[in-house]
C-alpha cells in the first residue's frame, strides 16, 4: 500500500540551511581571493566595486549617517542642479526653500539605509560594509524558494531552483563580491511575495488568509523601497486576487485581502503601477536608434538624438542559446529543466501561479534585456529538481520492489500478483510526485465556508516518519547534493569578479580631489560619474543614474571626437552654463541648435576641468557612435581603436596576428597604407615617423620602460580627435586648456581656461 509523502520539516530545514550557507560561503571565498591580491582589488582599506552604480548607494549611506543626505544633489547633473543655474533659468517656485523636499527615512534607498546602520560594525568603512553584506543578501532568496516548494510537496525543486539560480552566470555575476546594487535582493522580494500569496491561498482560516495577504503587500512595500518599480505591486495584486479566486476563497475574504494588500503595499505605489510597468518595459524592450521624435505639432523640425541605451550592454538582447548558456553552459541540461518545469506546471499550475510575475520576466530575457536572465535561472533548476524527484522516487521503489520479490516464496500466480502490485505502487509514486495527489483522488481546496484545505503539511511542523520514509528522504537530499556537485561546473560558481575601475585609476580620483578647488566640475564620460562624486566630492555633468540619456551626452561625445579644439571648448562652455535645459530650449532645428552651442554667451561660474580616463579608449566606439550622430537625418559613423596582438617588433617590420607590417614602406600586408607611426611614453610622443602617404592609418605604440605594451591601429579621424590628441599624445591648445594632472596611462586632467 502506498503511503503519503510526509517530508520532515527539520530535516528539510537543515538541508535548506546548507544550501543557503553554500551560496554565502562561495561568495565569501571570492572576497578571500581578493584579500590575497590587495593591489588588484583594494585602494588602501577600501575594497573596490564591480559595478559603477555602487558609489551612489555608498555615498547616500555616508551622507545619511552624517546628516547631510539630500544636501549634495548638486554634485550630479551639473550645471542644471546648481543653485546658480536654478536662479538664472528656473521659476521662483523651483528655488523657493519652502518648496524643497523634506527628506525622511523612506526617501533614503533601503540599500543605503542598511549599509548606513551596519557601517559602525566596520568602523564606518562603507565600502567594506556593503561588500560583506552581499553574500547574505544575494543568497537570501534561497530560503523562501525552498519553503515555497516544500509547501507544495516537491522540496527538491525549490532547493535545486535556489542552487541553480544563485550560481547561474546571469545572477551570480550580478551579485558577486563588490556588486553593491539592487540585484542582491531582486530575486528575494518577488520570491518572498509569491510564498506569502501561496500561503494565503492555502491557509485554513480567514484570519490566516488576511495575515498572509497583508504580509505580501508589506513585502512589496519593502521591494518598492529597495528597487522603486511600482509595476511589481500591480502584477502581484492581480496574482493574489486570482489565486484566492481559483482556490475558492469566499468573495468577502478576497475583498478584505485585496484591501489589506493595498494598504500594506502603499496605495500610491499601486496607483503608479501601470505607468511604471509601461516605462520599465519600454526601457528594455523598445530600444530604438532615436530617443526623440523628429516632428512636432507646429511644423518645426528639431534635432534628433540617438538612444544611448543602444550602447549599454545590460539592455542588449541575446539569442536563446546564449540566454541558456548564462544559466548552465550545457544547453541540453537547460532545455531539459526548462521543458520539465512547464510539464510540471501543467499538473500544478494553481500552486505555481504566484510565481508568474517572476516567470514572465524570465521569459522576457529571450526577446529583451539580458539582465532578465536571473529571473529565468531558478525555473531551470525547479524543472531539474522535479525530474530528480521522479527518478529517485521511481528508482527507490523499484529497488524496494526487487527486495520484496526476493522474499516471496509462493506459487507463480501469487508472485505475478505481487509484481503487479509493485508496478501499481511505482505508478502511484510517480503520479503523486508529478501531480501531488493519489491516483483516483480528487482535490478540493475549500468547502463552502472556505476553510477545508488540500492535503498538505504545514512547513512549521515536523512530521514523525519511519525508517523507510527517513531513508527515502535522505536518498532524495543526497541525490540533490550529488547532482548539483556534478553540474556545478556548468554554472559560474568559479567566477571571481574584478573591479569595474582599475585600482590605480581609482587612486587618481583621490589625487584629483587634492589638486582642484572643491567647487569645481568635471566634464568626462558618464560611466564614472557616481565614483567621482563619491571619491572627490566634485560635481559631474553626467552619470549612470539616467543622466546618460540626456541630450548633453551627445554634445560631450561630439566634443571628444571632434578634431577641432575650439569645438570642444565651445561645447564645454555651453554645457557648463546652459546645460540640458539650454539644449532643449534652443532645439528648433539642427542648424539653430548647433549655432547656439558653438556661440555660448555666458561664462561658467565654477572652475571646469576635462577629465580623460583610460577606459574611454575601449569605449571610444560607443562615444563615436553617439558623438557622430547626424542631428538632422539620424544615423552615425562610429569609429574606434583596434588593438593589434604583435609578437615581434624590429626597426624594419612588425609581426602581428593577422598582419605583417612593413615599417620601411609603410604597408600592412603589402596592401593597406600607413600614414604615420608614433611611439608614446607617459602621454608624450617619443618619436613620430611619417611614411609619405597622403591617406592611410596611424600606428600608435604605447611604451612602458623599454617594452611596447600596446599597439593601436586607428584611422585619421580618430587620430585627429581631441581625445586622442589630448589624452594619448599630450597635445593641446595652450590658449584654451591647461594640463593640471598627468597620470597616464590611467587618467589626465585639464583645466579649461574661461
Amino acid at each position: 500500500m502506498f503511503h503519503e509523502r510526509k517530508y520532515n520539516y527539520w530535516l528539510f530545514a537543515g538541508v535548506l540551511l546548507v544550501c543557503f550557507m553554500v551560496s554565502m560561503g562561495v561568495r565569501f571565498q571570492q572576497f578571500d581571493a581578493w584579500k590575497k591580491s590587495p593591489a588588484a582589488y583594494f585602494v588602501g582599506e577600501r575594497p573596490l566595486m564591480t559595478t559603477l552604480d555602487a558609489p551612489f548607494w555608498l555615498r547616500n549611506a555616508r551622507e545619511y549617517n552624517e546628516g547631510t543626505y539630500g544636501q549634495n544633489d548638486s554634485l550630479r547633473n551639473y550645471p542644471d542642479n546648481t543653485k546658480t543655474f536654478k536662479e538664472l533659468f528656473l521659476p521662483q517656485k523651483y528655488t523657493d526653500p519652502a518648496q524643497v523636499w523634506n527628506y525622511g527615512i523612506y526617501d533614503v534607498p533601503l540599500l543605503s539605509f542598511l549599509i548606513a546602520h551596519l557601517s559602525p560594525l566596520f568602523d564606518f568603512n562603507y565600502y567594506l560594509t556593503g561588500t560583506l553584506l552581499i553574500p547574505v543578501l544575494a543568497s537570501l532568496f534561497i530560503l523562501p524558494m525552498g519553503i515555497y516548494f516544500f509547501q507544495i510537496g516537491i522540496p527538491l525543486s525549490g532547493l535545486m531552483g535556489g542552487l541553480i539560480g544563485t550560481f547561474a552566470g546571469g545572477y551570480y555575476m550580478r551579485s558577486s563580491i563588490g556588486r553593491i546594487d539592487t540585484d542582491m535582493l531582486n530575486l528575494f522580494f518577488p520570491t518572498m511575495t509569491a510564498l506569502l500569496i501561496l500561503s494565503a491561498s492555502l491557509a485554513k482560516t480567514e484570519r490566516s488568509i488576511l495575515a498572509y495577504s497583508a504580509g505580501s503587500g508589506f513585502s512589496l512595500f519593502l521591494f518598492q523601497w529597495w528597487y522603486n518599480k511600482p509595476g511589481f505591486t500591480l502584477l502581484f495584486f492581480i496574482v493574489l486576487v486570482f489565486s484566492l479566486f481559483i482556490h475558492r476563497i469566499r468573495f468577502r475574504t478576497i475583498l478584505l485581502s485585496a484591501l489589506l494588500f493595498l494598504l500594506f503595499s502603499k496605495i500610491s505605489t499601486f496607483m503608479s503601477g501601470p505607468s511604471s510597468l509601461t516605462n520599465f518595459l519600454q526601457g528594455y524592450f523598445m530600444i530604438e536608434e532615436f530617443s526623440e521624435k523628429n516632428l512636432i505639432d507646429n511644423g518645426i523640425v528639431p534635432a534628433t538624438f540617438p538612444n544611448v541605451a543602444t550602447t549599454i550592454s545590460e539592455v542588449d538582447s541575446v539569442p536563446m542559446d546564449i540566454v541558456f548558456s548564462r544559466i548552465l553552459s550545457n544547453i541540453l541540461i537547460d532545455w531539459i529543466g526548462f521543458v520539465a518545469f512547464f510539464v510540471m506546471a501543467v499538473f500544478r499550475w494553481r500552486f505555481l501561479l504566484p510565481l508568474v510575475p517572476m516567470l514572465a520576466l524570465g521569459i522576457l530575457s529571450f526577446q529583451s534585456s539580458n539582465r532578465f536572465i536571473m529571473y529565468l535561472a531558478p525555473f531551470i533548476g525547479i524543472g531539474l529538481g522535479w525530474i530528480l524527484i521522479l527518478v529517485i522516487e521511481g528508482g527507490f521503489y523499484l529497488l524496494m520492489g526487487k527486495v520484496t520479490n526476493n522474499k516471496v516464496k509462493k506459487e507463480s500466480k501469487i508472485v505475478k500478483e505481487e509484481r503487479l502490485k509493485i508496478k501499481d505502487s511505482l505508478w502511484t509514486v510517480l503520479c503523486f510526485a508529478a501531480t501531488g495527489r493519489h491516483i483516483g483522488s480528487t482535490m478540493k481546496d475549500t468547502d463552502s465556508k472556505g476553510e477545508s484545505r488540500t492535503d498538505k503539511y504545514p512547513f512549521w511542523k515536523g512530521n514523525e516518519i519511519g525508517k523507510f520514509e527517513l531513508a527515502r528522504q535522505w536518498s532524495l537530499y543526497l541525490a540533490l547534493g550529488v547532482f548539483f556537485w556534478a553540474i556545478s561546473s556548468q554554472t559560474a560558481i568559479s567566477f571571481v569578479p574584478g573591479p569595474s575601475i582599475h585600482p590605480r585609476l581609482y587612486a587618481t580620483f583621490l589625487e584629483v580631489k587634492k589638486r582642484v578647488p572643491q567647487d569645481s566640475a568635471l566634464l568626462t564620460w558618464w560611466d564614472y560619474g557616481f565614483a567621482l562624486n563619491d571619491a572627490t566630492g566634485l560635481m559631474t555633468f553626467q552619470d549612470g543614474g539616467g543622466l546618460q540619456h540626456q541630450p548633453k551626452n551627445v554634445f560631450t561625445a561630439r566634443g571628444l571626437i571632434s578634431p577641432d579644439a575650439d569645438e570642444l571648448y565651445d561645447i564645454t562652455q555651453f554645457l557648463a552654463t546652459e546645460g540640458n535645459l539650454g539644449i532643449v530650449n534652443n532645439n528648433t532645428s539642427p542648424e539653430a541648435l548647433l549655432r547656439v552651442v558653438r556661440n555660448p554667451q555666458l561664462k561658467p561660474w565654477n572652475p571646469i576641468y576635462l577629465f580623460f580616463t583610460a577606459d574611454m579608449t575601449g569605449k571610444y566606439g560607443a562615444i563615436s557612435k553617439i558623438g557622430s550622430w547626424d542631428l538632422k537625418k539620424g544615423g552615425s559613423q562610429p569609429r574606434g581603436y583596434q588593438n593589434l596582438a604583435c609578437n615581434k617588433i624590429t626597426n624594419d617590420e612588425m609581426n602581428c596576428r593577422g598582419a605583417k607590417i612593413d615599417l620601411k614602406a609603410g604597408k600592412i600586408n603589402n596592401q593597406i597604407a600607413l600614414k604615420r607611426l608614433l611611439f608614446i611614453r607617459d602621454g608624450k610622443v617619443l618619436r613620430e615617423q611619417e611614411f609619405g602617404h597622403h591617406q592611410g592609418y596611424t600606428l600608435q605604440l604605447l611604451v612602458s620602460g623599454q617594452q611596447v605594451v600596446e599597439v593601436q591601429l586607428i584611422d585619421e579621424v580618430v587620430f585627429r580627435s581631441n581625445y586622442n590628441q589630448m589624452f594619448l599624445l599630450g597635445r593641446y591648445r595652450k590658449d584654451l586648456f591647461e594640463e593640471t594632472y598627468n597620470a597616464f596611462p590611467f587618467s589626465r586632467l585639464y583645466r579649461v581656461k574661461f
Side-chain angles (χ1 to χ4, degrees), residues 92-110:
Q92 182 65 26
K93 65 178 180 178
Y94 294 108
T95 60
D96 185 353
Q99 300 294 327
V100 175
W101 185 264
N102 182 25
Y103 291 93
I105 290 179
Y106 182 81
D107 301 295
V108 181
L110 180 55

Side-chain angles (χ1 to χ4, degrees), residues 191-425:
T191 308
M192 188 67 196
T193 303
L195 172 61
L196 291 168
I197 292 176
L198 174 72
S199 299
S201 64
L202 298 181
K204 294 182 179 180
T205 65
E206 183 179 67
R207 179 179 298 177
S208 297
I209 295 172
L210 297 180
Y212 285 126
S213 299
S216 64
F218 184 69
S219 174
L220 289 171
F221 169 81
L222 294 176
F223 193 26
Q224 169 68 9
W225 187 7
W226 176 265
Y227 194 42
N228 194 25
K229 292 292 183 288
F232 283 96
T233 303
L234 173 64
L235 291 176
F236 277 110
F237 174 80
I238 296 172
V239 168
L240 171 67
V241 173
F242 189 57
S243 294
L244 295 179
F245 174 77
I246 66 166
H247 283 89
R248 304 178 187 179
I249 305 300
R250 288 185 298 179
F251 183 70
R252 171 182 173 275
T253 305
I254 294 177
L255 287 180
L256 290 175
S257 298
L259 178 60
L260 285 173
F261 177 95
L262 293 177
L263 291 175
F264 277 83
S265 64
K266 200 174 182 182
I267 294 178
S268 60
T269 301
F270 174 80
M271 296 300 293
S272 60
S275 60
S276 172
L277 184 61
T278 301
N279 294 334
F280 178 73
L281 294 177
Q282 284 180 342
Y284 291 100
F285 214 12
M286 301 179 182
I287 307 300
E288 301 175 351
E289 287 295 310
F290 291 90
S291 63
E292 295 186 5
K293 295 181 179 179
N294 61 354
L295 294 174
I296 56 178
D297 294 339
N298 60 9
I300 296 176
V301 184
T304 63
F305 297 99
N307 193 339
V308 178
T310 60
T311 66
I312 301 175
S313 60
E314 174 179 286
V315 300
D316 286 345
S317 59
V318 293
M320 181 177 290
D321 285 352
I322 301 299
V323 170
F324 278 142
S325 69
R326 293 177 182 176
I327 298 174
L328 295 172
S329 58
N330 189 317
I331 308 300
L332 178 60
I333 300 178
D334 288 305
W335 271 110
I336 292 173
F338 187 68
V339 172
F341 171 79
F342 283 98
V343 173
M344 181 185 71
V346 171
F347 297 112
R348 302 198 176 201
W349 64 272
R350 288 187 295 178
F351 300 101
L352 297 176
L353 272 176
L355 293 171
V356 165
M358 277 183 62
L359 179 62
L361 286 177
I363 297 298
L364 280 180
S365 61
F366 295 130
Q367 291 294 328
S368 182
S369 169
N370 65 53
R371 75 166 303 170
F372 294 138
I373 295 173
M374 67 179 181
Y375 293 102
L376 179 65
F379 293 99
I380 303 294
I382 290 167
L384 293 174
W386 184 66
I387 291 178
L388 193 60
I389 287 179
L390 296 181
V391 172
I392 300 302
E393 291 275 22
F396 195 83
Y397 274 90
L398 282 175
L399 178 63
M400 295 304 296
K402 185 176 292 187
V403 173
T404 302
N405 272 336
N406 292 335
K407 292 182 179 180
V408 174
K409 302 295 184 180
K410 297 184 179 181
E411 297 180 356
S412 59
K413 181 178 180 180
I414 299 177
V415 172
K416 290 180 180 179
E417 291 177 354
E418 187 64 28
R419 287 176 178 173
L420 181 60
K421 289 180 182 179
I422 294 171
K423 292 181 180 179
D424 289 342
S425 296

Side-chain angles (χ1 to χ4, degrees), residues 372-521:
F372 294 138
I373 295 173
M374 67 179 181
Y375 293 102
L376 179 65
F379 293 99
I380 303 294
I382 290 167
L384 293 174
W386 184 66
I387 291 178
L388 193 60
I389 287 179
L390 296 181
V391 172
I392 300 302
E393 291 275 22
F396 195 83
Y397 274 90
L398 282 175
L399 178 63
M400 295 304 296
K402 185 176 292 187
V403 173
T404 302
N405 272 336
N406 292 335
K407 292 182 179 180
V408 174
K409 302 295 184 180
K410 297 184 179 181
E411 297 180 356
S412 59
K413 181 178 180 180
I414 299 177
V415 172
K416 290 180 180 179
E417 291 177 354
E418 187 64 28
R419 287 176 178 173
L420 181 60
K421 289 180 182 179
I422 294 171
K423 292 181 180 179
D424 289 342
S425 296
L426 175 59
W427 175 244
T428 303
V429 169
L430 295 177
C431 286
F432 186 85
T435 65
R437 67 185 75 179
H438 303 297
I439 295 177
S441 70
T442 59
M443 184 176 290
K444 184 177 181 182
D445 298 310
T446 61
D447 59 16
S448 59
K449 296 182 180 181
E451 294 181 353
S452 176
R453 311 309 304 158
T454 306
D455 289 338
K456 82 179 207 35
Y457 308 98
F459 67 85
W460 59 86
K461 292 183 179 179
N463 297 303
E464 295 182 1
I465 57 177
K467 294 181 179 179
F468 175 83
E469 284 294 313
L470 189 61
R472 181 186 65 83
Q473 291 182 42
W474 271 111
S475 298
L476 287 171
Y477 294 135
L478 288 174
L480 168 75
V482 171
F483 180 73
F484 178 73
W485 175 81
I487 67 168
S488 61
S489 61
Q490 306 293 326
T491 69
I493 195 169
S494 60
F495 170 73
V496 177
S500 297
I501 305 176
H502 193 284
R504 292 184 63 181
L505 172 57
Y506 189 89
T508 69
F509 296 178
L510 303 178
E511 188 64 29
V512 166
K513 180 179 181 180
K514 302 175 184 177
R515 292 173 178 259
V516 303
Q518 193 59 38
D519 62 342
S520 302

Side-chain angles (χ1 to χ4, degrees), residues 624-646:
S624 177
K625 181 178 181 179
I626 295 170
S628 64
W629 183 263
D630 189 321
L631 298 179
K632 185 175 183 179
K633 299 178 182 178
S636 60
Q637 297 180 337
R639 305 169 187 269
Y641 290 78
Q642 181 180 353
N643 288 341
L644 302 181
C646 303

Side-chain angles (χ1 to χ4, degrees), residues 537-549:
L538 301 174
M539 297 175 284
T540 56
F541 286 71
Q542 299 128 325
D543 56 49
L547 301 181
Q548 73 270 33
H549 299 287

